[in-house]
Amino acid sequence: MLRLGPLAAAGRLLPAGPRFGPPRPSGGRVSLSRSRPPGPVGDRGLLARQVRAAAGSAGGGRSPVLKTPKGTRDHPPAHAALRDRLLAAVVTCFKRHGAAAIDTPVLELRETLMGKYGEDTKLIYELQDQGGELLALRYDLTVPFARYLAMNKITNMKRYHVAKVYRRDNPATTRGRYREFYQCDFDIAGQFDPMIPDAECLKIVHEILSDLQLGDFIIKVNDRRILNGVFAVCGIPENKFITTCSTVDKLDKMPWEEVRSEMVGEKGLSPEAVDHIGEYVQLHGGLDLIEQLLQDPKLSQNKLAKEGLGDMKLLFEYLTLFGITGKISFDLSLARGLDYYTGVIFEAVLLQPENDHVEEPVSVGSVAGGGRYDGLVGMFDPKGRKVPCVGVSIGIERIFSILEQRVEASEEKIRTTETQVLVASAQKKLLEERLKLISELWNAGIKAEVLYKKNPKLLNQLQYCEDTGIPLVAIVGEQELKDGVVKLRVVATREEVNVRRESLVEEIRMRTSRP
Amino acid sequence: MLRLGPLAAAGRLLPAGPRFGPPRPSGGRVSLSRSRPPGPVGDRGLLARQVRAAAGSAGGGRSPVLKTPKGTRDHPPAHAALRDRLLAAVVTCFKRHGAAAIDTPVLELRETLMGKYGEDTKLIYELQDQGGELLALRYDLTVPFARYLAMNKITNMKRYHVAKVYRRDNPATTRGRYREFYQCDFDIAGQFDPMIPDAECLKIVHEILSDLQLGDFIIKVNDRRILNGVFAVCGIPENKFITTCSTVDKLDKMPWEEVRSEMVGEKGLSPEAVDHIGEYVQLHGGLDLIEQLLQDPKLSQNKLAKEGLGDMKLLFEYLTLFGITGKISFDLSLARGLDYYTGVIFEAVLLQPENDHVEEPVSVGSVAGGGRYDGLVGMFDPKGRKVPCVGVSIGIERIFSILEQRVEASEEKIRTTETQVLVASAQKKLLEERLKLISELWNAGIKAEVLYKKNPKLLNQLQYCEDTGIPLVAIVGEQELKDGVVKLRVVATREEVNVRRESLVEEIRMRTSRP
């Protein structure tokens, strides 16, 4: 089931061309001669002075600061091409599971986002009050989806959404954590028989991580109801469930002793209760563990835990039918940070993010996560009508960081354009002929470029093809024009053939169609 | 050269299914029976109460306001599908011309955007000062591109960028004017022989508008140097060039008399100078007009105007080679609002946006625009080093408004998913078999769905296919399982054939591949 390997994702490889890595110029690099000065209006005119003055007043007289905001980055062509292919692979999987796309604004009313993210609410970017509504940037795609469902009174829907979200988090860019980043979400809303949509979400994570060949991974699964049942039987008061949950969630980053002391110290829980919790949350396994807990004298008496365990058993049955239980771990330490989950929760982590070629491996942690949130839509409905939902979010930026480093380490070259042919000339004074020919090619749907020079040297034109990976050159010359042919040169082999002008489009198509 | 007609853009048509128009539920609409209550954690638990309290305090105790921010909108699946195809058509053209993709953050430092948009600077969305850098939402893709070039010291590049931009403008949503909207930009940066890249930008506009079959259109072309030359020979002081330019720009929306009185009244220009300008800016034509103005006793003495007219003549020569002068009008009233243009400017308008089927035609105005901005990159460079640029922006939202209304009027149905087959059962107790089969199909790359019910009725499963446009149903039953076959039903014709299980994937592929 290997639909997109890392090399396929990186596009066709080039024998030479722009390196993946720090941004470098791309496009007609060979014709840099200053053939004319820039127009005087922008040069010495009033506009330039006015604009400089304005920029100066904003920047306090300093020369302009050239950077992107903290925690954000530009994507140069090689990045953008790799990421487009990665996103396309994820979307292909979402479509394979019958999801429709929606889009919602990056801006939401502030009150839409408030009270949905617990402690993380402080990480929301707010817009300045410029008159009118108070706005904020979306923090995830889940709350806007719930708002969308409630606003349009939609009671069932299977949708995907690939878009940027914003968090004023402490960026850790080497680990792929940014303040602006893509989320790729797939969600199923509606009242259905238990665990069927939940199982499909896990199948999707499994498909995507397998397809991308990121190395071995495990998908941890738990249920908020089981966690809450554990807290209850351990004697935690109900009003401390959420805060206890956030602390348990740190178990993937710190050892139990530290989590324990935070619970006892900061959160003020009794040491006995906490030790009791410790016995549970360090458990992980499969169907056997579920059976064991269903027999647990205390837990089996708790209604929530029993429901959660029953559903977990059903989920494992479906995952067995899907043939993916080998990568699933029922893990009682998994808690997930966000407040809105109400049932099954899950998180995928890579087990071997290290790449042989990479000296300092990227540590990426979780690469996908999600769960069931049956209460969120009801929060937006004036009458509190519920729409149960379950969904998954693919951590595309972290995956991208891995692929990025892998490509860099392997010194692969990524083509950033898809140009099939460069229209060139061997002699001078043929610009008009080049423009006429390229126009014919464009009109026939051929991807074609021409150097923006009146009399480029043939060598420079060929070098441009080498640099940018263009496979063919269509050369016009006096003799070819007389004969009604175009000389077609294959860049890689230097083979040259004369092609009748009326057959050129077909010949280019034939020679550039993928095998 | 009709690569994407409006029907092709709207995707495959459906005999039945969700209407294009106001958002409606989509996806498994047939299995709505409440088979279980939502989980109690979200239902009566602490979380729900906490969250309600928080939402209440943000919203002043009212029930939550269910809306998107002013001037923004959600895109339900039918919109999103149509828009994805529209964007894909534009990107295809950009790639045909050899452009590479880049991406830049939605957030920019405020000082990056200040002093670039003249009077429109007030329309920039600013973020609240939450500590750290002062930020704003990008107003267009051009200034971030210039910032990107300067920051990375790139001196030549051909790039496209499709992304959302933000303007605190007065929204006119019926005319496709929003506060959040997509821009599709193609730009060529670098020092080249004159007018070759500029001509390619116009060719791109011509290709896209022709491909989309939006009806007849005209591309108005002018040059800021010609306009400034006109202002100079009419006796306008240099420090009033920009403000005069903004007023001339209104000529497409108001008659000359009103523009004249704004110039004399608000802008304080002399009536004689203004009347003199009036003689020029009401001119439009082709090569003949260029020749006429080159002979104009005053204008031909002005250095800027002469340069501009010389380049305009050259541009028309190249456009003749491209065969597109029929749609080009040299129009001296075209001024373009933005400050940063320094040379050629252009704007495409639809001549017949009305559609026969539509009672109230959408008035959309300009659907593409652009021009040369040789000074912008230099504003970001600490040493003021220039990188001449020319680019075009496609007004995708306005085009989308037209297509949207056209689809609505024609009552076409748009498929919002690509599902090839629904895995169904005719008898009860076959959920496990359905899940096993669909898992096989997904693993083979088939787009497949299953209803999330243990025992759905066959009729409901068939109805789901009718509603959502799924062409095939794979039916498992006791007998089929025994025989090692699957019954494949063609929804449109009701034809049913038994297919051996091992041939099913191939059979589905064959029956759903486009002709």
Side-chain angles (χ1 to χ4, degrees):
Chain A
M1 204 182 64
L2 308 175
R3 276 173 227 109
L4 180 85
L7 301 191
R12 274 181 285 173
L13 304 182
L14 287 183
R19 288 283 182 85
F20 196 87
R24 286 180 45 179
S26 83
R29 211 167 310 148
V30 289
S31 56
L32 285 167
S33 70
R34 302 228 151 216
S35 44
R36 72 187 317 234
V41 174
D43 213 351
R44 301 175 298 273
L46 176 73
L47 167 67
R49 285 199 301 279
Q50 279 190 340
V51 167
R52 280 196 179 281
S57 70
R62 295 171 286 111
S63 73
V65 176
L66 275 177
K67 68 184 291 295
T68 61
K70 185 181 175 189
T72 69
R73 58 174 170 175
D74 293 322
H75 285 276
H79 283 215
L82 181 61
R83 207 175 53 176
D84 277 356
R85 289 183 184 115
L86 183 56
L87 292 177
V90 172
V91 167
T92 297
C93 178
F94 292 163
K95 286 184 175 171
R96 191 157 63 232
H97 289 263
I102 72 163
D103 192 25
T104 64
V106 167
L107 299 169
E108 290 279 352
L109 299 185
R110 264 187 223 174
E111 80 177 89
T112 298
L113 305 188
M114 290 302 133
K116 308 297 187 303
Y117 302 106
E119 291 174 10
D120 288 350
T121 303
K122 63 181 185 295
L123 302 181
I124 294 172
Y125 277 101
E126 299 188 353
L127 271 83
Q128 198 170 310
D129 183 0
Q130 294 173 288
E133 300 159 329
L134 292 179
L135 306 177
L137 301 187
R138 64 180 165 211
Y139 179 86
D140 65 9
L141 302 177
T142 311
V143 168
F145 177 52
R147 192 264 308 144
Y148 171 82
L149 292 176
M151 187 171 137
N152 297 294
K153 299 191 172 48
I154 296 170
T155 52
N156 73 86
M157 178 175 211
K158 186 156 56 178
R159 83 90 176 78
Y160 73 89
H161 192 183
V162 173
K164 286 175 175 178
V165 301
Y166 298 84
R167 300 185 181 180
R168 291 180 53 257
D169 217 337
N170 226 2
T173 52
T174 50
R175 285 166 43 212
R177 207 166 76 194
Y178 290 87
R179 288 182 160 194
E180 172 186 69
F181 59 98
Y182 267 98
Q183 279 200 335
C184 301
D185 281 20
F186 172 99
D187 292 83
I188 300 169
Q191 191 72 51
F192 302 115
D193 280 324
M195 294 300 115
I196 313 176
D198 312 62
E200 184 167 5
C201 288
L202 291 168
K203 177 77 170 92
I204 285 174
V205 174
H206 191 277
E207 283 178 25
I208 290 173
L209 295 184
S210 304
D211 286 3
L212 294 176
Q213 296 187 315
L214 297 171
D216 204 8
F217 61 89
I218 194 99
I219 309 174
K220 299 179 192 172
V221 185
N222 197 3
D223 192 300
R224 276 284 170 92
R225 291 168 297 172
I226 300 175
L227 270 181
N228 285 350
V230 165
F231 298 158
V233 303
C234 295
I236 304 292
E238 200 190 334
N239 64 5
K240 298 222 165 160
F241 278 10
I242 290 181
T243 186
T244 309
C245 209
S246 340
T247 311
V248 168
D249 191 48
K250 296 178 182 167
L251 266 177
D252 61 338
K253 291 187 197 82
M254 46 169 89
W256 168 248
E257 285 66 35
E258 283 178 46
V259 169
R260 184 187 182 281
S261 70
E262 182 176 320
M263 282 182 173
V264 175
E266 250 175 74
K267 305 289 167 96
L269 306 179
S270 84
E272 297 71 31
V274 171
D275 287 335
H276 201 166
I277 291 177
E279 288 167 28
Y280 284 108
V281 297
Q282 295 183 73
L283 298 172
H284 54 92
L287 254 180
D288 48 340
L289 177 60
I290 301 170
E291 295 291 0
Q292 178 194 321
L293 292 176
L294 276 169
Q295 304 305 321
D296 183 285
K298 283 185 209 150
L299 218 50
S300 60
Q301 296 308 306
N302 181 283
K303 191 171 165 287
L304 277 183
K306 211 177 146 190
E307 262 186 36
L309 287 165
D311 275 353
M312 189 60 69
K313 192 175 162 185
L314 190 58
L315 179 67
F316 265 77
E317 282 172 28
Y318 295 155
L319 299 180
T320 306
L321 294 168
F322 288 160
I324 60 170
T325 42
K327 301 281 189 198
I328 308 282
S329 167
F330 171 42
D331 187 328
L332 275 93
S333 74
L334 179 71
R336 302 280 298 157
L338 295 172
D339 280 15
Y340 49 62
Y341 291 116
T342 57
V344 166
I345 47 178
F346 51 87
E347 196 166 293
V349 289
L350 297 185
L351 295 180
Q352 300 170 308
E354 302 85 359
N355 186 305
D356 292 346
H357 311 289
V358 182
E359 282 170 29
E360 287 178 60
V362 201
S363 163
V364 293
S366 152
V367 289
R372 178 161 283 282
Y373 50 101
D374 287 345
L376 195 58
V377 178
M379 286 181 204
F380 289 106
D381 189 281
K383 293 181 185 166
R385 275 168 301 212
K386 287 184 185 313
V387 179
C389 293
V390 62
V392 51
S393 186
I394 307 296
I396 209 70
E397 301 287 347
R398 295 181 175 194
I399 294 172
F400 180 72
S401 286
I402 298 168
L403 293 182
E404 191 181 351
Q405 211 178 24
R406 194 185 282 177
V407 170
E408 239 173 290
S410 71
E411 301 200 7
E412 291 164 18
K413 317 289 185 306
I414 289 183
R415 262 204 87 174
T416 59
T417 59
E418 300 177 7
T419 309
Q420 296 164 286
V421 63
L422 183 81
V423 174
S425 57
Q427 298 113 332
K428 291 191 171 187
K429 299 197 178 168
L430 286 169
L431 173 63
E432 285 72 15
E433 291 300 337
R434 281 190 288 140
L435 293 184
K436 250 161 71 180
L437 179 58
I438 199 167
S439 188
E440 288 172 28
L441 296 178
W442 285 331
N443 291 350
I446 299 289
K447 294 168 187 148
E449 288 185 73
V450 66
L451 293 200
Y452 303 127
K453 275 185 74 69
K454 280 181 102 153
N455 296 311
K457 290 188 177 123
L458 184 60
L459 199 65
N460 289 346
Q461 297 175 89
L462 297 179
Q463 186 60 46
Y464 182 79
C465 293
E466 298 272 1
D467 289 348
T468 62
I470 300 175
L472 298 173
V473 195
I475 304 169
V476 287
E478 298 293 355
Q479 192 57 46
E480 285 84 3
L481 287 168
K482 262 184 220 149
D483 299 346
V485 298
V486 172
K487 185 174 285 174
L488 197 62
R489 179 185 168 110
V490 181
V491 176
T493 62
R494 300 178 182 190
E495 171 203 356
E496 291 187 344
V497 282
N498 279 340
V499 179
R500 293 214 58 76
R501 186 133 173 168
E502 57 273 23
S503 316
L504 183 62
V505 166
E506 203 36 60
E507 185 72 23
I508 293 170
R509 274 203 198 116
M510 199 259 295
R511 286 177 179 266
T512 52
S513 70
R514 302 214 186 174
Chain B
M1 203 181 64
L2 308 175
R3 276 172 228 108
L4 181 85
L7 300 192
R12 277 182 281 173
L13 302 183
L14 288 183
R19 287 284 182 86
F20 197 87
R24 284 182 46 179
S26 80
R29 209 168 307 148
V30 289
S31 56
L32 284 167
S33 71
R34 300 228 152 215
S35 43
R36 70 187 318 232
V41 174
D43 211 350
R44 299 176 298 272
L46 177 74
L47 168 67
R49 286 198 302 278
Q50 278 190 338
V51 166
R52 278 194 182 282
S57 69
R62 296 171 286 109
S63 72
V65 177
L66 277 176
K67 69 185 290 292
T68 61
K70 184 180 177 190
T72 70
R73 59 173 168 175
D74 293 321
H75 284 276
H79 283 214
L82 181 61
R83 206 176 54 177
D84 277 356
R85 289 183 183 114
L86 182 56
L87 292 177
V90 172
V91 167
T92 297
C93 177
F94 291 164
K95 286 185 175 171
R96 190 156 63 233
H97 289 263
I102 70 162
D103 193 23
T104 64
V106 167
L107 299 168
E108 290 278 353
L109 298 184
R110 265 188 222 173
E111 78 172 277
T112 299
L113 305 187
M114 290 303 131
K116 309 296 186 303
Y117 303 106
E119 291 174 11
D120 288 351
T121 302
K122 63 180 185 295
L123 302 182
I124 293 173
Y125 277 101
E126 300 189 352
L127 271 83
Q128 198 171 308
D129 183 0
Q130 294 173 286
E133 299 160 330
L134 293 179
L135 305 177
L137 300 187
R138 64 182 165 210
Y139 180 85
D140 65 7
L141 302 177
T142 311
V143 168
F145 177 53
R147 192 262 310 146
Y148 172 83
L149 292 176
M151 187 172 136
N152 298 293
K153 298 189 172 51
I154 296 171
T155 52
N156 73 86
M157 179 175 210
K158 186 155 57 178
R159 84 88 176 80
Y160 73 89
H161 193 183
V162 173
K164 286 175 174 177
V165 302
Y166 298 84
R167 298 185 183 180
R168 292 180 52 257
D169 217 336
N170 226 0
T173 53
T174 49
R175 285 166 44 213
R177 206 166 78 193
Y178 290 87
R179 289 182 158 194
E180 172 186 70
F181 59 98
Y182 267 97
Q183 278 200 336
C184 301
D185 281 22
F186 172 101
D187 291 82
I188 300 169
Q191 192 73 51
F192 303 114
D193 279 325
M195 293 300 116
I196 314 177
D198 312 60
E200 184 167 5
C201 288
L202 291 168
K203 176 76 170 89
I204 284 174
V205 174
H206 191 276
E207 283 179 25
I208 290 173
L209 296 183
S210 304
D211 285 3
L212 294 176
Q213 296 187 315
L214 297 170
D216 204 9
F217 62 90
I218 194 98
I219 308 173
K220 300 178 191 172
V221 184
N222 198 3
D223 192 301
R224 276 282 170 92
R225 292 167 296 173
I226 300 176
L227 270 180
N228 285 348
V230 165
F231 299 157
V233 305
C234 295
I236 303 291
E238 200 192 334
N239 64 5
K240 297 221 166 163
F241 279 10
I242 290 182
T243 188
T244 309
C245 209
S246 342
T247 311
V248 168
D249 191 48
K250 297 179 182 167
L251 266 177
D252 60 338
K253 291 184 196 84
M254 44 169 90
W256 168 249
E257 287 66 36
E258 283 178 45
V259 169
R260 183 187 183 282
S261 72
E262 181 176 319
M263 283 182 172
V264 176
E266 248 173 76
K267 306 289 167 97
L269 306 178
S270 85
E272 297 71 31
V274 171
D275 286 336
H276 200 167
I277 291 176
E279 287 167 29
Y280 283 108
V281 296
Q282 294 182 74
L283 298 172
H284 55 92
L287 254 180
D288 48 339
L289 178 58
I290 301 170
E291 297 289 1
Q292 178 193 321
L293 292 176
L294 276 169
Q295 305 305 321
D296 183 284
K298 283 185 210 151
L299 217 48
S300 58
Q301 297 309 307
N302 181 283
K303 191 172 164 287
L304 276 184
K306 211 176 146 191
E307 261 185 37
L309 286 165
D311 276 351
M312 188 61 69
K313 192 174 162 187
L314 191 58
L315 179 67
F316 265 77
E317 282 172 28
Y318 295 154
L319 299 180
T320 306
L321 294 169
F322 289 159
I324 60 170
T325 43
K327 302 281 188 199
I328 308 282
S329 168
F330 171 41
D331 187 328
L332 276 92
S333 73
L334 179 70
R336 302 280 297 159
L338 296 172
D339 279 16
Y340 51 61
Y341 291 117
T342 56
V344 166
I345 46 177
F346 52 86
E347 194 166 294
V349 289
L350 297 185
L351 294 179
Q352 301 170 309
E354 303 84 0
N355 185 306
D356 291 346
H357 310 289
V358 182
E359 283 171 27
E360 286 177 61
V362 202
S363 162
V364 292
S366 153
V367 289
R372 177 162 283 282
Y373 50 102
D374 288 344
L376 195 56
V377 178
M379 285 182 206
F380 288 106
D381 189 281
K383 294 181 183 164
R385 277 169 299 212
K386 287 186 185 311
V387 179
C389 294
V390 63
V392 52
S393 186
I394 307 296
I396 209 69
E397 301 286 348
R398 296 181 175 193
I399 294 172
F400 180 73
S401 287
I402 297 168
L403 292 182
E404 191 181 350
Q405 209 175 26
R406 194 185 282 178
V407 170
E408 239 172 292
S410 70
E411 301 200 7
E412 291 163 19
K413 317 290 187 304
I414 289 183
R415 263 204 86 174
T416 59
T417 58
E418 299 176 8
T419 309
Q420 294 164 288
V421 62
L422 183 79
V423 174
S425 58
Q427 297 113 331
K428 290 193 171 185
K429 301 200 176 164
L430 287 170
L431 173 62
E432 285 72 16
E433 293 299 335
R434 282 191 287 139
L435 293 185
K436 250 158 76 179
L437 179 59
I438 199 168
S439 187
E440 287 172 30
L441 296 178
W442 284 333
N443 291 350
I446 298 291
K447 293 169 187 147
E449 287 185 72
V450 65
L451 293 200
Y452 303 128
K453 276 184 74 68
K454 279 181 103 155
N455 297 308
K457 291 189 178 124
L458 184 60
L459 200 66
N460 288 346
Q461 296 175 87
L462 298 178
Q463 186 59 47
Y464 181 79
C465 294
E466 298 271 1
D467 288 349
T468 62
I470 299 175
L472 298 173
V473 194
I475 303 170
V476 286
E478 298 293 356
Q479 192 57 47
E480 285 83 3
L481 287 169
K482 262 183 222 151
D483 299 347
V485 298
V486 172
K487 186 174 282 173
L488 198 63
R489 180 185 169 110
V490 181
V491 176
T493 62
R494 300 181 183 188
E495 172 202 355
E496 290 186 344
V497 281
N498 279 340
V499 179
R500 293 214 57 78
R501 187 131 173 172
E502 58 271 24
S503 316
L504 183 62
V505 167
E506 204 36 61
E507 186 72 23
I508 293 170
R509 274 204 196 114
M510 199 259 296
R511 286 177 179 267
T512 51
S513 68
R514 306 214 184 175

